[in-house]
Amino acid sequence: MVATQPFQRIVAAEIDGRCQNIRYRQNQFHFLQSALVQNIEQIKEAIAADSGNSPEEVRAEICLAFKEIRTHYASLDLKKDLEEEYRVANGKDNHDGKRGVGIVYIVPSSHTMFFSVVAALSAAIAAGNCVILELTKNTMAIPVVLKKILPQTLDADTFAISEERPDNTFLSRTHIIAQSDSITPSNNTLSSPTTARTVAIVDRTANISAAAEALVSARFAFGGRSAYSPDVVLVQEFAMKEFVEAIIQRSSKYLAGQNGDARQTAVNPRRTSSGVSLLDTAFKDASARVIVSGSEWGVVEVHDRKSPLLQKKVSEKVLVLHPVTSLDDAIDFSTSMGTLAATYAFSAPAAAKYLTQFIDAYTSYINHVPVDILIGPAYPINQQPSRETRYSTRSLQVPRPQFVMETSNTALVQEIIKGYASKSNDALREALVPLPAIGQRSGKAIGFFEQGIITGGVITLFTFVASISTMGIYGYAAVRRWRG
């Protein structure tokens, strides 16, 4: 464990509230953006060396990281900030008053680390916090680059890098952004799920071609290491043949890329496991069928739900398919995996609504996979996801409202306890008045199940009527022949 001594400047800056000044935060953003731009080539090379990702994927990570900086910077509004600060002086309530949590301690993910660091750092600065970034010693290239750039760029009183984790006493006074599973979640932690699985469901009502294209990209992009890459695709059994054909076509096209076999042969030396790969396991699994495969990638269909291929999170370029008999079957199997990181439902809107309503997932997406979420850590489980940035500034702030005006409740209680008989009696009578009627109309809407029941009933009734009619016709003819 390291002593807290290296962070005394950080603690002092937190106490004097230096980061609460909006001009100070704006300047820090300018310093950060300028320094990263000046070192962009080093950053590109480091990302490529660490990840083995294609040049297009490296560029996408960089662009998204800079967009995080720009978006959080744009949220700093001096005019609005001053208006909120002087509300009390002007005799108004500052009901949405807030400030930064103080010190934010960032434990970044190794997956697309540059974006992961920038997303957390920019949100913490925008929220008005001091920041400590944990970059432990390892063989990765991007931490070396960040250690060179950030300390020379940001104010040493409000930013520091830690190569070792501080003791729990110090961590307890910080707000932790945990992008990896190396920190136990607590009340002061924004935790991204790292072991929760991601499931896609493809119903027969789906656009099969579009679903195949989206899921191939989601599984194979960024080395297949994203928390939001689908760990298993549950395919309605009647749609499996068409879906497999579409998957084979899209896989070959995607992995070939613009340079023939460029994507297919890209190997990440820093991430390659020395153990048995998932694809090797699939070849040995009697319940699995390897549909198509190449250099470190494959598409596998698994039939046995007890297969080890369906028991863990996938971090390779292997797309696992599994047939299901119905929407309910898909829901039951998905639910057995616990709370999911995400669900992708490819189906007609009514079926998608049913699936995402009853599958427990932190987020659900209908008929698309937002490729931007494949970059960086998963959204924290204890904050409302933001579609613009990975972390919202509100999740790194604490409410500090200031009230000038009394409420009607205050006036009510004052009148009652002061013993004003007439007002007290009036208040009691008003409190005991029955609640307004619900106003609910009699149920006439036809839901998903009701529609199925009605359809089945109509078919049964039609069959019954047709049978009786046929029997009547033949019976009438037989009677006529008998009488004749």
Side-chain angles (χ1 to χ4, degrees), residues 32 35-37 39-40 42-44 46-47 50 58-69 108-121 133 135 140 142-143 145-146 149-150 179 375-377:
L32 175 63
L36 294 179
V37 169
N39 293 276
I40 195 65
Q42 291 184 53
I43 293 170
K44 285 181 182 179
I47 293 174
D50 285 341
V58 172
R59 189 177 299 118
E61 179 181 350
I62 291 173
C63 289
L64 200 61
F66 276 91
K67 188 173 185 294
E68 290 270 333
I69 294 174
S109 167
S110 59
H111 170 65
T112 55
M113 180 179 278
F114 177 68
F115 171 83
S116 300
V117 167
V118 170
L121 176 61
L133 173 62
L135 293 176
M140 292 181 66
I142 199 68
V145 174
L146 293 177
I149 298 172
L150 297 181
Q179 299 177 355
I375 301 172

mmCIF file of all heavy atoms in Angstrom, residues 32 35-37 39-40 42-44 46-47 50 58-69 108-121 133 135 140 142-143 145-146 149-150 179 375-377:
data_model
loop_
_atom_site.group_PDB
_atom_site.id
_atom_site.type_symbol
_atom_site.label_atom_id
_atom_site.label_comp_id
_atom_site.label_asym_id
_atom_site.label_seq_id
_atom_site.Cartn_x
_atom_site.Cartn_y
_atom_site.Cartn_z
ATOM 1 N N LEU A 32 -5.900 20.269 -21.654
ATOM 2 C CA LEU A 32 -6.013 18.837 -21.951
ATOM 3 C C LEU A 32 -6.154 18.591 -23.446
ATOM 4 O O LEU A 32 -5.419 17.780 -24.033
ATOM 5 C CB LEU A 32 -7.211 18.252 -21.201
ATOM 6 C CG LEU A 32 -7.544 16.777 -21.493
ATOM 7 C CD1 LEU A 32 -6.392 15.876 -21.073
ATOM 8 C CD2 LEU A 32 -8.836 16.375 -20.771
ATOM 9 N N ALA A 35 -2.911 19.474 -25.463
ATOM 10 C CA ALA A 35 -1.809 18.528 -25.266
ATOM 11 C C ALA A 35 -2.052 17.218 -26.001
ATOM 12 O O ALA A 35 -1.132 16.642 -26.593
ATOM 13 C CB ALA A 35 -1.611 18.267 -23.776
ATOM 14 N N LEU A 36 -3.276 16.740 -25.980
ATOM 15 C CA LEU A 36 -3.579 15.490 -26.674
ATOM 16 C C LEU A 36 -3.458 15.647 -28.185
ATOM 17 O O LEU A 36 -2.985 14.736 -28.878
ATOM 18 C CB LEU A 36 -4.989 15.016 -26.299
ATOM 19 C CG LEU A 36 -5.197 14.604 -24.839
ATOM 20 C CD1 LEU A 36 -6.639 14.186 -24.597
ATOM 21 C CD2 LEU A 36 -4.242 13.477 -24.437
ATOM 22 N N VAL A 37 -3.875 16.796 -28.700
ATOM 23 C CA VAL A 37 -3.740 17.059 -30.137
ATOM 24 C C VAL A 37 -2.266 17.079 -30.543
ATOM 25 O O VAL A 37 -1.875 16.513 -31.570
ATOM 26 C CB VAL A 37 -4.423 18.388 -30.515
ATOM 27 C CG1 VAL A 37 -4.057 18.801 -31.938
ATOM 28 C CG2 VAL A 37 -5.938 18.266 -30.372
ATOM 29 N N ASN A 39 0.128 15.493 -29.303
ATOM 30 C CA ASN A 39 0.752 14.169 -29.194
ATOM 31 C C ASN A 39 -0.090 13.085 -29.863
ATOM 32 O O ASN A 39 0.015 11.909 -29.501
ATOM 33 C CB ASN A 39 0.966 13.818 -27.723
ATOM 34 C CG ASN A 39 1.998 14.696 -27.048
ATOM 35 O OD1 ASN A 39 3.189 14.446 -27.126
ATOM 36 N ND2 ASN A 39 1.524 15.753 -26.380
ATOM 37 N N ILE A 40 -0.896 13.479 -30.844
ATOM 38 C CA ILE A 40 -1.862 12.542 -31.429
ATOM 39 C C ILE A 40 -1.175 11.359 -32.107
ATOM 40 O O ILE A 40 -1.692 10.232 -32.060
ATOM 41 C CB ILE A 40 -2.793 13.293 -32.412
ATOM 42 C CG1 ILE A 40 -4.009 12.437 -32.749
ATOM 43 C CG2 ILE A 40 -2.048 13.738 -33.659
ATOM 44 C CD1 ILE A 40 -4.908 12.176 -31.595
ATOM 45 N N GLN A 42 1.686 9.855 -31.313
ATOM 46 C CA GLN A 42 2.115 8.907 -30.275
ATOM 47 C C GLN A 42 0.930 8.129 -29.727
ATOM 48 O O GLN A 42 1.034 6.925 -29.457
ATOM 49 C CB GLN A 42 2.793 9.660 -29.122
ATOM 50 C CG GLN A 42 4.128 10.279 -29.459
ATOM 51 C CD GLN A 42 4.755 10.915 -28.226
ATOM 52 O OE1 GLN A 42 4.891 10.271 -27.183
ATOM 53 N NE2 GLN A 42 5.116 12.182 -28.338
ATOM 54 N N ILE A 43 -0.180 8.824 -29.571
ATOM 55 C CA ILE A 43 -1.382 8.172 -29.053
ATOM 56 C C ILE A 43 -1.875 7.109 -30.030
ATOM 57 O O ILE A 43 -2.207 5.982 -29.629
ATOM 58 C CB ILE A 43 -2.479 9.231 -28.780
ATOM 59 C CG1 ILE A 43 -2.053 10.139 -27.627
ATOM 60 C CG2 ILE A 43 -3.810 8.563 -28.473
ATOM 61 C CD1 ILE A 43 -2.932 11.358 -27.440
ATOM 62 N N LYS A 44 -1.907 7.430 -31.314
ATOM 63 C CA LYS A 44 -2.327 6.459 -32.330
ATOM 64 C C LYS A 44 -1.463 5.209 -32.288
ATOM 65 O O LYS A 44 -1.966 4.074 -32.303
ATOM 66 C CB LYS A 44 -2.248 7.093 -33.725
ATOM 67 C CG LYS A 44 -3.337 8.073 -34.060
ATOM 68 C CD LYS A 44 -3.130 8.591 -35.488
ATOM 69 C CE LYS A 44 -4.169 9.615 -35.876
ATOM 70 N NZ LYS A 44 -3.937 10.131 -37.252
ATOM 71 N N ALA A 46 0.402 4.063 -29.875
ATOM 72 C CA ALA A 46 0.244 3.319 -28.619
ATOM 73 C C ALA A 46 -1.045 2.503 -28.616
ATOM 74 O O ALA A 46 -1.062 1.342 -28.185
ATOM 75 C CB ALA A 46 0.260 4.289 -27.441
ATOM 76 N N ILE A 47 -2.134 3.089 -29.108
ATOM 77 C CA ILE A 47 -3.411 2.370 -29.164
ATOM 78 C C ILE A 47 -3.289 1.151 -30.075
ATOM 79 O O ILE A 47 -3.737 0.047 -29.733
ATOM 80 C CB ILE A 47 -4.545 3.301 -29.651
ATOM 81 C CG1 ILE A 47 -4.821 4.391 -28.623
ATOM 82 C CG2 ILE A 47 -5.813 2.498 -29.918
ATOM 83 C CD1 ILE A 47 -5.819 5.438 -29.097
ATOM 84 N N ASP A 50 -1.196 -1.629 -28.423
ATOM 85 C CA ASP A 50 -1.880 -2.297 -27.317
ATOM 86 C C ASP A 50 -3.027 -3.192 -27.782
ATOM 87 O O ASP A 50 -3.264 -4.252 -27.213
ATOM 88 C CB ASP A 50 -2.438 -1.267 -26.327
ATOM 89 C CG ASP A 50 -1.360 -0.654 -25.452
ATOM 90 O OD1 ASP A 50 -0.276 -1.265 -25.345
ATOM 91 O OD2 ASP A 50 -1.598 0.426 -24.896
ATOM 92 N N VAL A 58 -8.926 2.390 -34.490
ATOM 93 C CA VAL A 58 -8.102 3.321 -33.705
ATOM 94 C C VAL A 58 -8.608 4.745 -33.883
ATOM 95 O O VAL A 58 -8.742 5.506 -32.914
ATOM 96 C CB VAL A 58 -6.618 3.213 -34.121
ATOM 97 C CG1 VAL A 58 -5.799 4.318 -33.447
ATOM 98 C CG2 VAL A 58 -6.055 1.843 -33.767
ATOM 99 N N ARG A 59 -8.903 5.111 -35.125
ATOM 100 C CA ARG A 59 -9.401 6.463 -35.407
ATOM 101 C C ARG A 59 -10.749 6.698 -34.726
ATOM 102 O O ARG A 59 -11.011 7.779 -34.187
ATOM 103 C CB ARG A 59 -9.527 6.668 -36.918
ATOM 104 C CG ARG A 59 -9.835 8.118 -37.321
ATOM 105 C CD ARG A 59 -9.880 8.277 -38.828
ATOM 106 N NE ARG A 59 -8.587 7.922 -39.431
ATOM 107 C CZ ARG A 59 -8.425 6.921 -40.291
ATOM 108 N NH1 ARG A 59 -9.452 6.192 -40.657
ATOM 109 N NH2 ARG A 59 -7.230 6.661 -40.791
ATOM 110 N N ALA A 60 -11.597 5.673 -34.733
ATOM 111 C CA ALA A 60 -12.910 5.806 -34.092
ATOM 112 C C ALA A 60 -12.764 6.048 -32.597
ATOM 113 O O ALA A 60 -13.474 6.881 -32.009
ATOM 114 C CB ALA A 60 -13.746 4.546 -34.350
ATOM 115 N N GLU A 61 -11.851 5.338 -31.946
ATOM 116 C CA GLU A 61 -11.628 5.523 -30.509
ATOM 117 C C GLU A 61 -11.150 6.945 -30.209
ATOM 118 O O GLU A 61 -11.623 7.585 -29.257
ATOM 119 C CB GLU A 61 -10.600 4.508 -30.001
ATOM 120 C CG GLU A 61 -10.320 4.662 -28.517
ATOM 121 C CD GLU A 61 -9.283 3.681 -27.986
ATOM 122 O OE1 GLU A 61 -8.915 2.745 -28.732
ATOM 123 O OE2 GLU A 61 -8.835 3.846 -26.831
ATOM 124 N N ILE A 62 -10.231 7.438 -31.017
ATOM 125 C CA ILE A 62 -9.694 8.784 -30.804
ATOM 126 C C ILE A 62 -10.779 9.838 -31.015
ATOM 127 O O ILE A 62 -10.931 10.771 -30.204
ATOM 128 C CB ILE A 62 -8.496 9.037 -31.736
ATOM 129 C CG1 ILE A 62 -7.306 8.175 -31.300
ATOM 130 C CG2 ILE A 62 -8.103 10.511 -31.745
ATOM 131 C CD1 ILE A 62 -6.119 8.216 -32.238
ATOM 132 N N CYS A 63 -11.540 9.697 -32.078
ATOM 133 C CA CYS A 63 -12.607 10.675 -32.363
ATOM 134 C C CYS A 63 -13.638 10.715 -31.247
ATOM 135 O O CYS A 63 -14.094 11.790 -30.824
ATOM 136 C CB CYS A 63 -13.281 10.344 -33.694
ATOM 137 S SG CYS A 63 -12.260 10.665 -35.145
ATOM 138 N N LEU A 64 -14.014 9.549 -30.743
ATOM 139 C CA LEU A 64 -15.013 9.491 -29.681
ATOM 140 C C LEU A 64 -14.468 10.088 -28.388
ATOM 141 O O LEU A 64 -15.194 10.763 -27.648
ATOM 142 C CB LEU A 64 -15.460 8.043 -29.455
ATOM 143 C CG LEU A 64 -16.804 7.857 -28.741
ATOM 144 C CD1 LEU A 64 -17.930 8.487 -29.544
ATOM 145 C CD2 LEU A 64 -17.083 6.382 -28.497
ATOM 146 N N ALA A 65 -13.182 9.881 -28.127
ATOM 147 C CA ALA A 65 -12.568 10.454 -26.924
ATOM 148 C C ALA A 65 -12.570 11.979 -26.982
ATOM 149 O O ALA A 65 -12.909 12.657 -25.994
ATOM 150 C CB ALA A 65 -11.137 9.929 -26.769
ATOM 151 N N PHE A 66 -12.195 12.529 -28.128
ATOM 152 C CA PHE A 66 -12.187 13.988 -28.261
ATOM 153 C C PHE A 66 -13.604 14.564 -28.223
ATOM 154 O O PHE A 66 -13.810 15.693 -27.777
ATOM 155 C CB PHE A 66 -11.468 14.398 -29.544
ATOM 156 C CG PHE A 66 -9.981 14.482 -29.387
ATOM 157 C CD1 PHE A 66 -9.178 13.373 -29.653
ATOM 158 C CD2 PHE A 66 -9.372 15.639 -28.953
ATOM 159 C CE1 PHE A 66 -7.795 13.437 -29.487
ATOM 160 C CE2 PHE A 66 -7.992 15.718 -28.786
ATOM 161 C CZ PHE A 66 -7.202 14.611 -29.049
ATOM 162 N N LYS A 67 -14.572 13.773 -28.672
ATOM 163 C CA LYS A 67 -15.970 14.230 -28.595
ATOM 164 C C LYS A 67 -16.426 14.317 -27.137
ATOM 165 O O LYS A 67 -17.206 15.196 -26.763
ATOM 166 C CB LYS A 67 -16.881 13.296 -29.382
ATOM 167 C CG LYS A 67 -18.313 13.805 -29.520
ATOM 168 C CD LYS A 67 -19.115 12.925 -30.459
ATOM 169 C CE LYS A 67 -20.514 13.515 -30.691
ATOM 170 N NZ LYS A 67 -21.344 13.506 -29.481
ATOM 171 N N GLU A 68 -15.945 13.411 -26.300
ATOM 172 C CA GLU A 68 -16.250 13.470 -24.865
ATOM 173 C C GLU A 68 -15.730 14.785 -24.277
ATOM 174 O O GLU A 68 -16.437 15.465 -23.522
ATOM 175 C CB GLU A 68 -15.601 12.289 -24.143
ATOM 176 C CG GLU A 68 -16.216 10.938 -24.443
ATOM 177 C CD GLU A 68 -17.346 10.588 -23.494
ATOM 178 O OE1 GLU A 68 -17.352 11.074 -22.357
ATOM 179 O OE2 GLU A 68 -18.229 9.815 -23.909
ATOM 180 N N ILE A 69 -14.494 15.141 -24.618
ATOM 181 C CA ILE A 69 -13.914 16.393 -24.117
ATOM 182 C C ILE A 69 -14.756 17.584 -24.567
ATOM 183 O O ILE A 69 -15.104 18.461 -23.766
ATOM 184 C CB ILE A 69 -12.461 16.546 -24.616
ATOM 185 C CG1 ILE A 69 -11.569 15.465 -24.007
ATOM 186 C CG2 ILE A 69 -11.925 17.936 -24.279
ATOM 187 C CD1 ILE A 69 -10.151 15.457 -24.546
ATOM 188 N N PRO A 108 -9.011 2.676 -14.731
ATOM 189 C CA PRO A 108 -9.446 2.515 -16.118
ATOM 190 C C PRO A 108 -9.471 1.063 -16.592
ATOM 191 O O PRO A 108 -8.768 0.200 -16.065
ATOM 192 C CB PRO A 108 -8.404 3.318 -16.903
ATOM 193 C CG PRO A 108 -7.164 3.223 -16.064
ATOM 194 C CD PRO A 108 -7.636 3.194 -14.640
ATOM 195 N N SER A 109 -10.267 0.849 -17.616
ATOM 196 C CA SER A 109 -10.333 -0.450 -18.281
ATOM 197 C C SER A 109 -9.166 -0.579 -19.254
ATOM 198 O O SER A 109 -8.717 0.403 -19.850
ATOM 199 C CB SER A 109 -11.659 -0.572 -19.032
ATOM 200 O OG SER A 109 -11.647 -1.676 -19.915
ATOM 201 N N SER A 110 -8.677 -1.796 -19.441
ATOM 202 C CA SER A 110 -7.610 -2.020 -20.419
ATOM 203 C C SER A 110 -8.157 -2.023 -21.840
ATOM 204 O O SER A 110 -7.416 -1.814 -22.797
ATOM 205 C CB SER A 110 -6.893 -3.335 -20.129
ATOM 206 O OG SER A 110 -7.793 -4.426 -20.181
ATOM 207 N N HIS A 111 -9.467 -2.267 -21.988
ATOM 208 C CA HIS A 111 -10.091 -2.240 -23.313
ATOM 209 C C HIS A 111 -10.263 -0.791 -23.762
ATOM 210 O O HIS A 111 -10.860 0.015 -23.057
ATOM 211 C CB HIS A 111 -11.448 -2.949 -23.265
ATOM 212 C CG HIS A 111 -12.265 -2.762 -24.498
ATOM 213 N ND1 HIS A 111 -11.881 -3.247 -25.728
ATOM 214 C CD2 HIS A 111 -13.450 -2.129 -24.706
ATOM 215 C CE1 HIS A 111 -12.782 -2.929 -26.634
ATOM 216 N NE2 HIS A 111 -13.748 -2.246 -26.035
ATOM 217 N N THR A 112 -9.720 -0.459 -24.915
ATOM 218 C CA THR A 112 -9.758 0.915 -25.438
ATOM 219 C C THR A 112 -9.451 1.914 -24.311
ATOM 220 O O THR A 112 -10.248 2.790 -24.012
ATOM 221 C CB THR A 112 -11.106 1.227 -26.105
ATOM 222 O OG1 THR A 112 -12.179 0.971 -25.183
ATOM 223 C CG2 THR A 112 -11.317 0.392 -27.355
ATOM 224 N N MET A 113 -8.265 1.769 -23.735
ATOM 225 C CA MET A 113 -7.905 2.523 -22.527
ATOM 226 C C MET A 113 -7.874 4.032 -22.754
ATOM 227 O O MET A 113 -8.250 4.795 -21.852
ATOM 228 C CB MET A 113 -6.563 2.058 -21.972
ATOM 229 C CG MET A 113 -6.150 2.809 -20.718
ATOM 230 S SD MET A 113 -4.585 2.296 -20.002
ATOM 231 C CE MET A 113 -5.094 0.872 -19.063
ATOM 232 N N PHE A 114 -7.445 4.471 -23.913
ATOM 233 C CA PHE A 114 -7.372 5.919 -24.146
ATOM 234 C C PHE A 114 -8.749 6.551 -23.990
ATOM 235 O O PHE A 114 -8.913 7.524 -23.247
ATOM 236 C CB PHE A 114 -6.806 6.205 -25.535
ATOM 237 C CG PHE A 114 -6.776 7.676 -25.876
ATOM 238 C CD1 PHE A 114 -5.926 8.542 -25.217
ATOM 239 C CD2 PHE A 114 -7.629 8.189 -26.853
ATOM 240 C CE1 PHE A 114 -5.910 9.897 -25.514
ATOM 241 C CE2 PHE A 114 -7.623 9.537 -27.156
ATOM 242 C CZ PHE A 114 -6.763 10.396 -26.486
ATOM 243 N N PHE A 115 -9.744 5.997 -24.673
ATOM 244 C CA PHE A 115 -11.099 6.526 -24.522
ATOM 245 C C PHE A 115 -11.577 6.389 -23.087
ATOM 246 O O PHE A 115 -12.203 7.308 -22.535
ATOM 247 C CB PHE A 115 -12.073 5.811 -25.459
ATOM 248 C CG PHE A 115 -13.510 6.163 -25.181
ATOM 249 C CD1 PHE A 115 -14.068 7.314 -25.715
ATOM 250 C CD2 PHE A 115 -14.289 5.360 -24.354
ATOM 251 C CE1 PHE A 115 -15.392 7.658 -25.439
ATOM 252 C CE2 PHE A 115 -15.617 5.700 -24.076
ATOM 253 C CZ PHE A 115 -16.156 6.844 -24.622
ATOM 254 N N SER A 116 -11.325 5.235 -22.473
ATOM 255 C CA SER A 116 -11.803 4.987 -21.110
ATOM 256 C C SER A 116 -11.285 6.030 -20.136
ATOM 257 O O SER A 116 -12.020 6.512 -19.265
ATOM 258 C CB SER A 116 -11.385 3.587 -20.664
ATOM 259 O OG SER A 116 -11.923 2.598 -21.527
ATOM 260 N N VAL A 117 -10.012 6.401 -20.278
ATOM 261 C CA VAL A 117 -9.423 7.411 -19.393
ATOM 262 C C VAL A 117 -10.007 8.792 -19.680
ATOM 263 O O VAL A 117 -10.418 9.519 -18.765
ATOM 264 C CB VAL A 117 -7.883 7.439 -19.552
ATOM 265 C CG1 VAL A 117 -7.295 8.679 -18.885
ATOM 266 C CG2 VAL A 117 -7.267 6.182 -18.962
ATOM 267 N N VAL A 118 -10.049 9.161 -20.957
ATOM 268 C CA VAL A 118 -10.521 10.503 -21.333
ATOM 269 C C VAL A 118 -11.992 10.695 -20.948
ATOM 270 O O VAL A 118 -12.381 11.769 -20.465
ATOM 271 C CB VAL A 118 -10.316 10.745 -22.840
ATOM 272 C CG1 VAL A 118 -11.018 12.027 -23.286
ATOM 273 C CG2 VAL A 118 -8.836 10.816 -23.162
ATOM 274 N N ALA A 119 -12.814 9.671 -21.133
ATOM 275 C CA ALA A 119 -14.240 9.778 -20.801
ATOM 276 C C ALA A 119 -14.440 10.051 -19.319
ATOM 277 O O ALA A 119 -15.236 10.922 -18.924
ATOM 278 C CB ALA A 119 -14.969 8.501 -21.207
ATOM 279 N N ALA A 120 -13.723 9.308 -18.481
ATOM 280 C CA ALA A 120 -13.861 9.496 -17.031
ATOM 281 C C ALA A 120 -13.224 10.810 -16.577
ATOM 282 O O ALA A 120 -13.797 11.543 -15.753
ATOM 283 C CB ALA A 120 -13.218 8.323 -16.298
ATOM 284 N N LEU A 121 -12.060 11.124 -17.118
ATOM 285 C CA LEU A 121 -11.338 12.339 -16.722
ATOM 286 C C LEU A 121 -12.117 13.595 -17.088
ATOM 287 O O LEU A 121 -12.260 14.525 -16.270
ATOM 288 C CB LEU A 121 -9.964 12.351 -17.397
ATOM 289 C CG LEU A 121 -9.077 13.588 -17.177
ATOM 290 C CD1 LEU A 121 -8.772 13.767 -15.701
ATOM 291 C CD2 LEU A 121 -7.783 13.473 -17.983
ATOM 292 N N LEU A 133 -5.637 9.436 -11.220
ATOM 293 C CA LEU A 133 -5.752 8.394 -12.240
ATOM 294 C C LEU A 133 -4.787 7.262 -11.919
ATOM 295 O O LEU A 133 -3.591 7.477 -11.787
ATOM 296 C CB LEU A 133 -5.437 8.977 -13.619
ATOM 297 C CG LEU A 133 -5.338 7.999 -14.790
ATOM 298 C CD1 LEU A 133 -6.656 7.269 -15.020
ATOM 299 C CD2 LEU A 133 -4.896 8.733 -16.054
ATOM 300 N N LEU A 135 -2.641 4.322 -12.944
ATOM 301 C CA LEU A 135 -1.973 3.705 -14.098
ATOM 302 C C LEU A 135 -0.842 2.840 -13.549
ATOM 303 O O LEU A 135 0.276 3.309 -13.328
ATOM 304 C CB LEU A 135 -1.425 4.775 -15.055
ATOM 305 C CG LEU A 135 -2.459 5.634 -15.795
ATOM 306 C CD1 LEU A 135 -1.774 6.716 -16.618
ATOM 307 C CD2 LEU A 135 -3.341 4.763 -16.701
ATOM 308 N N MET A 140 1.751 -2.340 -21.290
ATOM 309 C CA MET A 140 0.972 -1.575 -22.266
ATOM 310 C C MET A 140 1.678 -0.278 -22.630
ATOM 311 O O MET A 140 2.454 0.278 -21.843
ATOM 312 C CB MET A 140 -0.427 -1.291 -21.724
ATOM 313 C CG MET A 140 -1.310 -2.518 -21.574
ATOM 314 S SD MET A 140 -2.960 -2.104 -20.965
ATOM 315 C CE MET A 140 -3.605 -1.134 -22.337
ATOM 316 N N ILE A 142 -0.056 2.637 -23.948
ATOM 317 C CA ILE A 142 -0.844 3.865 -23.740
ATOM 318 C C ILE A 142 -0.638 4.455 -22.347
ATOM 319 O O ILE A 142 -0.578 5.688 -22.208
ATOM 320 C CB ILE A 142 -2.341 3.631 -24.049
ATOM 321 C CG1 ILE A 142 -3.039 4.978 -24.286
ATOM 322 C CG2 ILE A 142 -3.036 2.836 -22.973
ATOM 323 C CD1 ILE A 142 -2.618 5.697 -25.516
ATOM 324 N N PRO A 143 -0.487 3.656 -21.264
ATOM 325 C CA PRO A 143 -0.209 4.287 -19.966
ATOM 326 C C PRO A 143 1.081 5.090 -19.957
ATOM 327 O O PRO A 143 1.159 6.139 -19.312
ATOM 328 C CB PRO A 143 -0.136 3.085 -19.007
ATOM 329 C CG PRO A 143 -0.931 2.018 -19.658
ATOM 330 C CD PRO A 143 -0.682 2.194 -21.117
ATOM 331 N N VAL A 145 2.383 6.723 -22.454
ATOM 332 C CA VAL A 145 2.122 7.987 -23.151
ATOM 333 C C VAL A 145 1.328 8.936 -22.256
ATOM 334 O O VAL A 145 1.630 10.132 -22.170
ATOM 335 C CB VAL A 145 1.368 7.720 -24.475
ATOM 336 C CG1 VAL A 145 0.968 9.038 -25.133
ATOM 337 C CG2 VAL A 145 2.235 6.899 -25.424
ATOM 338 N N LEU A 146 0.311 8.407 -21.572
ATOM 339 C CA LEU A 146 -0.518 9.253 -20.702
ATOM 340 C C LEU A 146 0.281 9.781 -19.511
ATOM 341 O O LEU A 146 0.077 10.918 -19.084
ATOM 342 C CB LEU A 146 -1.733 8.461 -20.218
ATOM 343 C CG LEU A 146 -2.753 8.073 -21.298
ATOM 344 C CD1 LEU A 146 -3.865 7.228 -20.700
ATOM 345 C CD2 LEU A 146 -3.328 9.318 -21.960
ATOM 346 N N ILE A 149 2.129 12.760 -20.843
ATOM 347 C CA ILE A 149 1.365 13.933 -21.271
ATOM 348 C C ILE A 149 0.616 14.606 -20.122
ATOM 349 O O ILE A 149 0.739 15.817 -19.908
ATOM 350 C CB ILE A 149 0.357 13.536 -22.372
ATOM 351 C CG1 ILE A 149 1.097 13.010 -23.606
ATOM 352 C CG2 ILE A 149 -0.523 14.721 -22.747
ATOM 353 C CD1 ILE A 149 0.160 12.418 -24.661
ATOM 354 N N LEU A 150 -0.163 13.835 -19.369
ATOM 355 C CA LEU A 150 -1.130 14.421 -18.435
ATOM 356 C C LEU A 150 -0.498 15.196 -17.277
ATOM 357 O O LEU A 150 -0.943 16.314 -16.971
ATOM 358 C CB LEU A 150 -2.068 13.330 -17.916
ATOM 359 C CG LEU A 150 -2.943 12.662 -18.989
ATOM 360 C CD1 LEU A 150 -3.851 11.613 -18.366
ATOM 361 C CD2 LEU A 150 -3.774 13.701 -19.745
ATOM 362 N N GLN A 179 -13.788 0.910 -13.701
ATOM 363 C CA GLN A 179 -14.070 0.355 -15.016
ATOM 364 C C GLN A 179 -13.639 -1.100 -15.136
ATOM 365 O O GLN A 179 -13.974 -1.767 -16.105
ATOM 366 C CB GLN A 179 -13.371 1.193 -16.085
ATOM 367 C CG GLN A 179 -13.823 2.642 -16.117
ATOM 368 C CD GLN A 179 -13.063 3.476 -17.126
ATOM 369 O OE1 GLN A 179 -12.118 3.003 -17.763
ATOM 370 N NE2 GLN A 179 -13.457 4.724 -17.292
ATOM 371 N N ILE A 375 -16.846 0.857 -27.705
ATOM 372 C CA ILE A 375 -15.617 1.517 -27.276
ATOM 373 C C ILE A 375 -15.756 1.906 -25.803
ATOM 374 O O ILE A 375 -16.769 2.470 -25.403
ATOM 375 C CB ILE A 375 -15.340 2.774 -28.121
ATOM 376 C CG1 ILE A 375 -15.207 2.407 -29.601
ATOM 377 C CG2 ILE A 375 -14.105 3.508 -27.637
ATOM 378 C CD1 ILE A 375 -15.114 3.594 -30.530
ATOM 379 N N GLY A 376 -14.740 1.587 -25.011
ATOM 380 C CA GLY A 376 -14.752 2.010 -23.616
ATOM 381 C C GLY A 376 -15.447 1.031 -22.693
ATOM 382 O O GLY A 376 -15.871 -0.054 -23.092
ATOM 383 N N PRO A 377 -15.602 1.419 -21.420
ATOM 384 C CA PRO A 377 -16.243 0.553 -20.431
ATOM 385 C C PRO A 377 -17.762 0.566 -20.594
ATOM 386 O O PRO A 377 -18.318 1.417 -21.288
ATOM 387 C CB PRO A 377 -15.847 1.207 -19.101
ATOM 388 C CG PRO A 377 -15.749 2.670 -19.446
ATOM 389 C CD PRO A 377 -15.194 2.717 -20.851
#
